[in-house]
């Protein structure tokens, strides 16, 4: 059994990934009762072939209990298959457009500098607590039209729901169901208010979205709010933190980026590949599927290790090297196919603004404790 959740492996899973790609790229893990895939082509197949690998069966067990009141489908966008997924995504796209994301740039920059202002005179910063966590939380809260005083509740809910995914790879149960119930009660109240008095926010836009005779139900909107809260916060926090950590670990690349700031978008893509903010996604096999000489039986749960795929030597030359000028860089950090991350443009925008601010404002940035 591979001890995926030991502190050492969580800190650096890449040696295990390399070993699995070489020896058992498609493997059944008996104690956990799921199949794992580690190579790029196999991971991409599992993520994109919705006919053979269902997203509906890939949700963590903790979210499969009795739905909270008003929530019909759980995380509807990431745990539904076509044709329903197609309908939902089409409607959400109307409210979450590239134009709407681009319009957030000035406010994100303002927030980034406000957060750095709070610590600029102290000589030290807890990068996650002081910056990488609050920035996306505030952005998502403002996007949804949520009062700033509720941000800490968002963080608690996000942590609980994200932790529930660990139950698939040997972690303990969490308070995910309770967090879902609390989120649903909270957002149900906001939705009721917006139906009576719409505002210029995402929840109002979701209520108004329609395509033909199809509208988003309250359960659909609750699901999307929960997804945006968790994915929008956790992934972007990880991306910003991973970027700073990786650049500090590779001072020659950091120096190159400081001297050539136009490389920042390319550097972000390399961070997404090299230290993917989401390490794995879950699917269920709809039929017997042959991958890598193994037959995954119908009904089996499958874990697609994105973090391993993005270090696959067969896809990326010198894959273990961090290279901010890597091109092409066809990573799948945001998934692949119909479930490609809807929030990818926002995550990239926030990361670009956040890292530009850090590089500009913190020229002497260094880790206090190199061993942690």
């Amino acid at each position: 059994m591979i001890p995926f959740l030991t502190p050492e492996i969580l800190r650096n899973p890449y040696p295990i990934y390399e070993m699995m790609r070489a020896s058992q790229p498609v493997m059944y893990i008996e104690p956990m009762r799921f199949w794992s895939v580690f190579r790029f082509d196999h991971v991409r197949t599992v993520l994109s072939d919705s006919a053979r690998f269902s997203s509906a069966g890939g949700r963590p067990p903790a979210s499969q209990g009795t739905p909270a009141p008003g929530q019909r489908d759980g995380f509807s966008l990431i745990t539904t298959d076509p044709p329903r997924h197609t309908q939902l995504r089409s409607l959400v796209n109307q409210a979450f457009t590239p134009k709407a994301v681009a319009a957030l740039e000035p406010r994100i920059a303002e927030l980034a500098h406000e957060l750095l202002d709070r610590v600029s005179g102290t000589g030290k910063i807890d990068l996650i607590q002081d910056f990488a966590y609050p920035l996306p939380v505030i952005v998502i809260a403002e996007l949804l039209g949520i009062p700033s005083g509720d941000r800490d509740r968002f963080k608690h809910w996000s942590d609980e729901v994200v932790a529930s995914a660990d139950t698939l790879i040997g972690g303990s149960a969490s308070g995910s169901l309770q967090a879902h119930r609390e989120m649903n009660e909270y957002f149900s109240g906001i939705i009721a208010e917006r139906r009576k008095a719409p505002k210029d926010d995402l929840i109002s836009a979701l209520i108004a979205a329609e395509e033909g005779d199809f509208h988003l139900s309250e359960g659909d909107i609750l699901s999307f709010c929960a997804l945006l809260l968790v994915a929008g916060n956790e992934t972007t926090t990880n991306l910003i933190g991973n970027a700073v950590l990786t650049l500090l670990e590779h001072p020659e690349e950091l120096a190159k980026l400081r001297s050539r700031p136009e490389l920042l978008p390319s550097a972000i893509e390399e961070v997404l590949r090299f230290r993917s903010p989401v390490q794995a996604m879950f699917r269920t096999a709809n039929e017997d599927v042959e991958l890598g000489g193994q037959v995954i039986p119908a009904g089996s749960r499958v874990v697609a290790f994105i973090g391993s795929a993005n270090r696959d030597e067969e896809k990326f030359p010198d894959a273990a090297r961090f290279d901010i000028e890597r091109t092409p860089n066809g990573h799948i950090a945001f998934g692949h196919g119909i479930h490609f991350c809807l929030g990818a443009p926002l995550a990239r925008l926030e990361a670009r603004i956040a890292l530009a601010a850090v590089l500009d404002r913190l020229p002497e940035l260094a880790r206090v404790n190199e061993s942690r």
Side-chain angles (χ1 to χ4, degrees):
M1 176 175 173
I2 302 172
F4 284 110
L5 292 182
T6 64
E8 293 76 18
I9 297 300
L10 287 174
R11 213 174 276 125
N12 181 19
Y14 298 103
I16 291 290
Y17 292 161
E18 182 179 5
M19 179 182 71
M20 299 311 297
R21 288 193 303 271
S23 61
Q24 292 181 290
V26 179
M27 175 187 181
Y28 183 66
I29 302 180
E30 178 68 40
M32 301 182 191
R33 298 183 180 180
F34 63 69
W35 286 82
S36 296
V37 297
F38 295 92
R39 285 207 169 276
F40 184 92
D41 288 344
H42 297 153
V43 170
R44 183 174 57 184
T45 295
V46 171
L47 293 180
S48 61
D49 190 343
S50 59
R52 294 192 295 169
F53 294 97
S54 170
S55 296
R59 68 190 66 171
S63 68
Q64 292 180 337
T66 303
Q71 185 173 20
R72 184 184 63 212
D73 295 313
F75 281 359
S76 58
L77 272 179
I78 63 171
T79 57
T80 54
D81 298 318
R84 178 157 177 76
H85 174 271
T86 307
Q87 290 179 312
L88 291 170
R89 181 136 183 161
S90 177
L91 284 174
V92 169
N93 276 337
Q94 295 180 29
F96 205 70
T97 63
K99 181 179 179 181
V101 171
L104 297 171
E105 182 166 358
R107 178 57 178 155
I108 296 172
E110 181 181 23
L111 290 169
H113 285 283
E114 285 179 1
L115 291 168
L116 291 177
D117 285 343
R118 298 176 186 177
V119 298
S120 60
T122 66
K124 61 182 179 180
I125 181 174
D126 183 322
L127 186 79
I128 302 301
Q129 190 63 36
D130 297 334
F131 187 70
Y133 151 63
L135 179 62
V137 170
I138 296 170
V139 171
I140 294 298
E142 293 189 355
L143 191 63
L144 290 170
I146 302 304
S148 60
D150 292 332
R151 293 170 192 159
D152 287 341
R153 298 170 70 184
F154 279 21
K155 173 60 174 172
H156 169 72
W157 293 333
S158 177
D159 287 346
E160 291 291 348
V161 175
V162 169
S164 72
D166 290 346
T167 60
L168 274 178
I169 52 175
S172 59
S174 71
S176 173
L177 289 178
Q178 179 62 26
H180 274 293
R181 292 189 182 99
E182 292 175 3
M183 281 194 293
N184 290 337
E185 291 174 3
Y186 180 87
F187 282 119
S188 290
I190 298 292
I191 291 169
E193 292 175 7
R194 297 298 188 271
R195 290 192 190 280
K196 295 176 183 177
K199 294 186 177 180
D200 185 19
D201 58 35
L202 186 55
I203 290 179
S204 297
L206 291 171
I207 292 170
E210 61 179 291
E211 185 173 277
D213 295 329
F214 185 65
H215 292 72
L216 292 170
S217 68
E218 179 166 321
D220 296 330
I221 297 173
L222 287 174
S223 295
F224 183 69
C225 289
L227 173 61
L228 191 61
L229 165 66
V230 176
N233 291 337
E234 187 76 11
T235 303
T236 307
T237 295
N238 291 348
L239 174 54
I240 295 170
N242 288 351
V244 174
L245 173 62
T246 307
L247 286 166
L248 289 175
E249 289 176 342
H250 298 82
E252 69 291 344
E253 295 297 287
L254 175 57
K256 184 191 300 182
L257 183 57
R258 287 192 184 279
S259 66
R260 298 170 60 192
E262 70 275 9
L263 290 176
L264 183 54
S266 175
I268 291 170
E269 297 307 308
E270 179 66 345
V271 171
L272 285 163
R273 183 199 71 84
F274 187 81
R275 206 172 237 138
S276 304
V278 174
Q279 288 285 302
M281 291 294 291
F282 310 97
R283 296 290 190 268
T284 297
N286 284 330
E287 59 187 64
D288 292 355
V289 182
E290 191 276 329
L291 281 180
Q294 300 288 328
V295 176
I296 300 175
S300 298
R301 180 166 288 144
V302 183
V303 181
F305 280 94
I306 294 171
S308 175
N310 284 335
R311 294 279 192 105
D312 190 340
E313 304 82 356
E314 292 186 1
K315 173 66 176 179
F316 302 97
D318 204 3
R321 183 168 65 91
F322 179 68
D323 177 8
I324 66 171
E325 293 185 88
R326 182 180 294 273
T327 183
N329 192 344
H331 67 76
I332 50 173
F334 289 118
H336 190 73
I338 64 170
H339 285 283
F340 181 83
C341 178
L342 183 71
L346 179 58
R348 285 180 165 118
L349 177 64
E350 289 184 75
R352 177 171 59 80
I353 293 170
L355 292 171
V358 167
L359 292 171
D360 178 55
R361 300 281 300 274
L362 307 175
E364 304 299 323
L365 186 67
R367 294 180 69 186
V368 172
N369 186 341
E370 292 292 340
S371 67
R372 295 181 62 189

